[in-house]
Amino acid sequence: MVLHSDLFCVNMAASMASQAVARGLRGASAKHLFLENFKCPRVSSRRWLNLQEYQSKMLMQESGVTVQRFYVADNAPDALQAARKLNAKEIVLKAQILAGGRGKGTFDSGLKGGVHLTKDPSVVGELANKMLGYSLTTKQTPKDGVKVKTVMVAEALDINRETYFAILMDRACNGPVMVGSPQGGMDIEEVAEKTPELIFKEVIDIFEGVQDDQALRMAANLGFKGPLERQAADQIKRLYDLFLKVDATQVEVNPFGETPEGQVVCFDAKINFDDNAEFRQKSVFAMDDMSESDPTETEAAKWDLKYIGLDGNIACFVNGAGLAMATCDIIDLHGGKPANFLDLGGGVKERQVYEAFKLLTADPKVEAILVNIFGGIVNCAIIANGITKACRELELKVPLVVRLEGTNVQEAKKILSESGLPIVAANDLDDAAKKAVAAIGKK
């Protein structure tokens, strides 16, 4: 995030479609929603920073935000010691994986559930022993599950009332806004659809920050009363401090609740970060847990490529998320199935083209490759040189259909035609999709 209004416009101008597609293809958490009306995309097509629950809570703690007391353990004895050290009425033990649905998941150790409540600290070690080193399978994990390497041992608190609160970027306001609802702990999208009057918004001046009257007004709208109103307002201001401190594009707390003892607590939070600020948020980005990420997506991110694997057999190599979506659709229209979503983005270099082809050809399902480039800021000649280099060095074995249009397109077509490679040229996107589908039919 950049604290100058002119640069906000630049940051919010580019890859909205790319993020929307990735979210749609991967699915989203039921409790957390990056509100469509307040979405703030990134400039570069980088993978999202993934933090475990305990890491987000550590960042919140450092900014004075109230969270449950907790410890982290990577072995059963340490988990047991943490449970005893908490000295709490009730303890919650949570397996730390990035996928949702942990509570209803199953371990290959036979243990059911990745979240357990207990009033007896002595059982925490036994439970942790059945979690750590075992794979947890939920609705959002691969079929073989994800190996649990860490557990969070936390104080379990009762919740009297749940609300929703978020700070995120709003393109229309050229900056951050607060969004809240007294209806928390549930799908906020459903609240917005059925009872829009229960969604409250406060625009934040990027030079002045969150003002006292704004924080108090939001707290009142969320239903906090008496001393809790001032306490909630203080937490809101601290959450904004965190938002600025870590260069976030979103800090979402659901639920933002109150306990019977009269304490306002951030029970569950989701933080999205501005990847363009990685150079000054090295400690935050160093926490990135890539062990659960798809290896191909992780490799693609190293070359600033946005890659998402699909189930088809026609690989798509496209620049721009909107064009990539259209390419996938028209392949399907002609009876084919896309094998991936690959957005090359802008500012491309030959090496990126080569690395993209390495990723595509490594997929054993791929039976043909369709390249669809519209060269605005992308130079078609660079694409063409990258394609010919990749075809020769990787000894491409599958049919290749190429459609190029835009900057330096004539030079690019000349490079391809004089290469002596069996590249099928296409006149337009429809022609390219037909030829890619037909190429598979001839194999």
Side-chain angles (χ1 to χ4, degrees):
M1 187 187 62
V2 184
L3 291 182
H4 298 285
S5 57
D6 55 339
L7 293 182
F8 267 126
C9 297
V10 175
N11 260 351
M12 293 186 284
S15 61
M16 177 180 291
S18 182
Q19 290 199 32
V21 169
R23 285 191 179 275
L25 290 171
R26 288 196 184 90
S29 165
K31 285 177 64 180
H32 294 292
L33 170 72
F34 202 66
L35 295 178
E36 196 69 28
N37 290 338
F38 309 116
K39 192 183 302 181
C40 175
R42 295 187 306 268
V43 171
S44 60
S45 57
R46 296 281 303 282
R47 65 183 293 277
W48 289 295
L49 172 62
N50 291 319
L51 294 188
Q52 300 285 2
E53 178 186 4
Y54 78 89
Q55 293 172 318
S56 294
K57 287 189 173 179
M58 284 173 57
L59 291 175
M60 295 170 77
Q61 266 188 337
E62 290 170 4
S63 292
V65 176
T66 303
V67 298
Q68 298 149 284
R69 292 185 298 126
F70 71 93
Y71 294 99
V72 178
D74 59 10
N75 61 72
D78 284 354
L80 176 59
Q81 183 180 359
R84 289 173 173 162
K85 192 185 296 186
L86 280 172
N87 192 28
K89 292 180 180 178
E90 192 170 22
I91 295 163
V92 59
L93 179 67
K94 293 185 174 184
Q96 295 297 286
I97 64 170
L98 297 172
R102 290 174 295 174
K104 295 182 179 180
T106 57
F107 286 89
D108 55 5
S109 66
L111 181 67
K112 295 186 182 302
V115 178
H116 285 263
L117 285 166
T118 180
K119 294 182 179 179
D120 183 2
S122 64
V123 306
V124 169
E126 181 183 342
L127 287 169
N129 203 40
K130 294 179 181 178
M131 290 184 177
L132 291 163
Y134 291 98
S135 294
L136 174 60
T137 303
T138 77
K139 289 183 177 180
Q140 293 186 18
T141 64
K143 63 179 181 179
D144 294 329
V146 174
K147 184 171 287 188
V148 174
K149 300 176 182 177
T150 310
V151 293
M152 184 175 76
V153 186
E155 177 184 26
L157 297 175
D158 292 327
I159 307 177
N160 257 6
R161 199 173 60 85
E162 298 181 336
T163 75
Y164 171 92
F165 178 75
I167 302 170
L168 35 82
M169 303 300 295
D170 183 356
R171 291 200 310 159
C173 300
N174 276 350
V177 297
M178 294 187 287
V179 180
S181 173
Q183 298 293 314
M186 57 186 294
D187 189 344
I188 195 65
E189 185 177 29
E190 185 178 336
V191 176
E193 182 181 345
K194 293 183 178 179
T195 52
E197 70 276 7
L198 294 180
I199 301 291
F200 298 93
K201 174 182 172 182
E202 289 278 347
V203 178
I204 301 171
D205 186 301
I206 61 173
F207 299 108
E208 300 295 332
V210 176
Q211 301 299 294
D212 285 343
D213 62 324
Q214 285 185 303
L216 286 167
R217 186 163 55 245
M218 178 59 76
N221 285 334
L222 296 181
F224 292 102
K225 302 183 185 303
L228 288 176
E229 183 179 317
R230 170 59 67 178
Q231 192 182 146
D234 177 65
Q235 290 296 297
I236 286 169
K237 294 189 74 172
R238 289 174 186 269
L239 284 165
Y240 183 64
D241 290 342
L242 169 66
F243 182 85
L244 294 180
K245 180 181 176 181
V246 300
D247 284 299
T249 55
Q250 170 186 307
V251 173
E252 185 181 33
V253 182
N254 191 17
F256 184 52
E258 61 183 66
T259 69
E261 295 75 27
Q263 189 178 27
V264 178
V265 179
C266 298
F267 285 94
D268 199 1
K270 180 170 183 157
I271 305 175
N272 286 357
F273 301 87
D274 184 351
D275 284 340
N276 297 300
E278 182 178 357
F279 72 97
R280 65 184 182 198
Q281 296 291 345
K282 295 189 183 301
S283 62
V284 173
F285 280 79
M287 294 190 288
D288 193 2
D289 185 354
M290 295 186 287
S291 63
E292 296 178 38
S293 301
D294 180 278
T296 306
E297 291 181 28
T298 303
E299 181 63 24
K302 293 179 183 177
W303 302 98
D304 283 339
L305 303 169
K306 178 67 70 180
Y307 177 97
I308 299 171
L310 301 175
D311 295 330
N313 54 4
I314 299 178
C316 302
F317 178 89
V318 189
N319 68 311
L323 190 59
M325 287 189 286
T327 303
C328 289
D329 284 345
I330 203 162
I331 287 173
D332 189 72
L333 179 67
H334 288 296
K337 294 294 179 185
N340 65 274
F341 169 96
L342 191 149
D343 177 8
L344 184 64
V348 65
K349 296 179 174 60
E350 283 184 28
R351 181 61 185 269
Q352 286 172 288
V353 178
Y354 176 80
E355 295 298 332
F357 264 79
K358 278 181 67 176
L359 293 172
L360 297 178
T361 54
D363 184 348
K365 301 191 307 294
V366 170
E367 297 181 28
I369 298 175
L370 193 163
V371 176
N372 184 26
I373 300 295
F374 186 84
I377 58 174
V378 171
N379 187 328
C380 289
I382 291 176
I383 301 292
N385 283 324
I387 289 173
T388 56
K389 174 183 172 67
C391 287
R392 291 192 176 100
E393 294 189 13
L394 299 175
E395 298 180 353
L396 189 66
K397 298 291 194 301
V398 298
L400 173 63
V401 179
V402 178
R403 179 254 181 165
L404 299 174
E405 198 58 68
T407 305
N408 261 355
V409 67
Q410 295 305 321
E411 181 184 348
K413 288 181 177 179
K414 183 179 179 183
I415 291 169
L416 295 179
S417 64
E418 294 178 353
S419 68
L421 296 167
I423 297 171
V424 179
N427 298 319
D428 52 41
L429 177 52
D430 188 67
D431 183 42
K434 286 179 180 176
K435 287 178 176 176
V437 173
I440 289 177
K442 291 177 182 177
K443 289 186 69 178

